[in-house]
Amino acid sequence: MLQLTEDSLTMTRKNREKGLKRSMADGVTQPGTSATSSEILRFAQDDMMEDSVTQPVTEATSSEILRFAQDDKRFAQDDTMADGVSQPGTGATEAVDETTNRVDEEDTAKTPQQAATSADGSTTPSTVIWTPRFMVIFALTLAMGLSAESVLTQGWTSHYYAGQWVLMGHVAAIFACFIAIMIVTRSWWLRVGTIFGCTWAIFTGINLVVSFYQLDPGSPIPAYLNAIISCALLGAYICLSTERTPFTAWDSWFFRFALIIGAGGVLLSYFIKPPVERSVSIIESAAAAIAVVFCVFVWWLRPSCWKAQPGPTFLFGVMPAFILLLSLPSLGRGATNLYLSQVALLAVILGSMRILQSELKRR
C-alpha cells in the first residue's frame, strides 16, 4: 500500500513539473499567460513535500556525516581484506605471514647466509656450506693423532717410557671402537667381525706385555701369539669387508684361491725345511705370515670393496701393509719401527670410527 502511495505521489509530481514547464513555455511563447511568482513558489513547496514523503530523511548533521565516513572507511578495509583472502597473489593473511616467517626461520637455521659484497658494491646473500660433524672429528683425529705419535716417539727416544705402553694405548682405543660397533650394529657380519677384532686386540695386548720379559729364543709362545693375532685379524677383516659389499664372481674366486694358496703355502713352508728343523712353530709362523698377506689382499684386491666402502678399504689395509714393511730389516728398527706401528694402529682406529659412524647413521 505504501508502495502504491509513493508511486502515485511520484506521478503527481512529474505531472505538475510537466505542467509548470508547459506553463513557462507558454509564458515564453504567450507573454500574457505567464505563471505568477506565487504559483511557482507553491509548486516548489509541493515538490519539497513530495520529496520528504518519498525520502523521509534528506538532511544529515555533521556528526552523522562523520559517522557515515568512518563506516565507509571500515567497509573499504573489510573489502581489501576480503580481496586479500580471495586473491593470494595480491595480499597475505596473518596466518600465512606467520607460517611463512616460521618456514623462513627454519631455513635460516638450517642454511645460514651471510652478506657478500659484489663488484658494484651491492650486498647479495651467499649460502654457507657446513662441513659434516664426522668429517671434522675424523680430520681432527688424524691430525692430532699424527702429531701425538711424533711426540710419543720422541719421548720414547728420550727414554721417558717404554714403547709397548704407547702401542697398548692404541690397541685399547681399537678395542673400545670394536665394542661400540658391536653394541650399535644390527648386522651379524659386523658382530662376528668385531668379536674377531676384540680377540685380536686382547692377544695383541698380551703379546705386548710378554715383550717386557726376556723369553727363551726357542720358546714357541711368540709364534703361537703371532699366529692367533694374525688369524684373528684375518677373520675380522673378512667379516668387515663382507658386510654391505656386493659379492661378485671375482670375490668368489678370490676366496677359493686364498684358501688353496694359504693352505699350500703353510704346507710348503713346513716341508721345505729339513726334517730335523721341522716343528709346530714353523707352521705357526708360516700361518701368521700368510694371514697378514691375505689381510691386505682381502681389502685391496677386491674391487667391490673399493666401490662399496673405499674409506675402510684403504684404512684397514694400511696396518697389515705396514706390518709387512716393518718385517724388512732396514725399516723395522728404532724410532721408525715405533712410529710406523703407531700410524698403522691409527689407521685401524680411523677405519673403525668410519664403520661406527655408518652404523649410527643407519639406525
Side-chain angles (χ1 to χ4, degrees):
M1 189 67 182
L2 180 60
Q3 185 68 28
L4 294 175
T5 304
E6 292 177 354
D7 294 339
S8 61
L9 291 174
T10 303
M11 293 297 294
T12 304
R13 188 185 62 178
K14 290 181 179 181
N15 293 330
R16 289 182 178 180
E17 289 176 354
K18 290 180 180 180
L20 179 59
K21 291 179 180 180
R22 189 179 299 112
S23 299
M24 293 177 66
D26 295 338
V28 174
T29 56
Q30 298 176 4
T33 60
S34 60
T36 62
S37 60
S38 59
E39 291 177 349
I40 294 172
L41 180 61
R42 186 176 68 253
F43 292 153
Q45 290 176 355
D46 293 339
D47 293 337
M48 291 177 63
M49 291 177 65
E50 291 174 1
D51 292 337
S52 63
V53 173
T54 56
Q55 301 177 359
V57 180
T58 57
E59 297 180 356
T61 62
S62 60
S63 61
E64 291 176 345
I65 294 173
L66 180 61
R67 186 177 68 254
F68 293 155
Q70 293 176 353
D71 292 340
D72 292 338
K73 184 178 180 180
R74 186 172 64 255
F75 291 155
Q77 292 177 354
D78 294 339
D79 293 337
T80 303
M81 293 177 64
D83 292 337
V85 173
S86 60
Q87 298 178 0
T90 58
T93 60
E94 294 180 358
V96 175
D97 290 337
E98 293 177 357
T99 305
T100 305
N101 293 333
R102 184 165 60 252
V103 172
D104 292 339
E105 292 175 357
E106 292 176 358
D107 293 340
T108 304
K110 292 180 180 179
T111 309
Q113 294 182 348
Q114 61 181 3
T117 305
S118 59
D120 56 356
S122 61
T123 57
T124 57
S126 59
T127 303
V128 178
I129 300 176
W130 291 99
T131 305
R133 180 174 58 183
F134 174 75
M135 293 181 62
V136 176
I137 296 174
F138 187 90
L140 290 176
T141 304
L142 176 60
M144 295 178 65
L146 293 175
S147 301
E149 287 162 4
S150 178
V151 174
L152 292 173
T153 303
Q154 294 295 328
W156 175 78
T157 306
S158 302
H159 303 286
Y160 291 139
Y161 42 77
Q164 289 86 343
W165 293 112
V166 177
L167 298 179
M168 287 181 66
H170 288 73
V171 172
I174 295 172
F175 181 80
C177 291
F178 283 150
I179 292 295
I181 295 173
M182 187 186 305
I183 295 173
V184 171
T185 187
R186 298 178 182 178
S187 171
W188 285 104
W189 279 111
L190 289 182
R191 288 179 180 175
V192 175
T194 52
I195 291 173
F196 278 111
C198 292
T199 304
W200 169 86
I202 292 171
F203 281 95
T204 301
I206 294 173
N207 189 27
L208 292 173
V209 173
V210 170
S211 63
F212 283 106
Y213 303 95
Q214 295 292 332
L215 298 177
D216 185 10
S219 175
I221 294 178
Y224 291 156
L225 288 176
N226 289 331
I228 295 173
I229 290 170
S230 300
C231 292
L233 183 63
L234 179 60
Y237 277 12
I238 291 173
C239 295
L240 295 177
S241 63
T242 305
E243 172 60 20
R244 294 186 176 88
T245 301
F247 199 76
T248 60
W250 165 247
D251 296 329
S252 178
W253 285 106
F254 171 80
F255 285 112
R256 292 175 185 175
F257 285 127
L259 181 60
I260 295 172
I261 294 173
V266 172
L267 294 176
L268 181 62
S269 63
Y270 177 78
F271 288 107
I272 202 174
K273 294 290 184 180
V276 181
E277 298 180 2
R278 292 174 185 173
S279 63
V280 180
S281 299
I282 296 176
I283 298 177
E284 298 292 338
S285 299
I290 292 174
V292 172
V293 172
F294 278 104
C295 285
V296 181
F297 291 168
V298 162
W299 289 104
W300 287 4
L301 291 186
R302 295 171 60 193
S304 57
C305 293
W306 288 103
K307 293 179 181 179
Q309 39 184 351
T313 298
F314 173 76
L315 293 172
F316 283 125
V318 166
M319 189 181 71
F322 276 23
I323 292 175
L324 294 175
L325 289 176
L326 293 176
S327 62
L328 300 176
S330 60
L331 292 177
R333 293 182 180 179
T336 303
N337 189 351
L338 179 61
Y339 182 77
L340 293 180
S341 298
Q342 293 180 77
V343 173
L345 294 174
L346 178 63
V348 178
I349 294 173
L350 296 174
S352 302
M353 290 173 55
R354 179 64 182 88
I355 292 179
L356 179 61
Q357 186 266 344
S358 178
E359 293 301 314
L360 289 173
K361 189 176 180 180
R362 289 189 178 99
R363 293 189 67 181

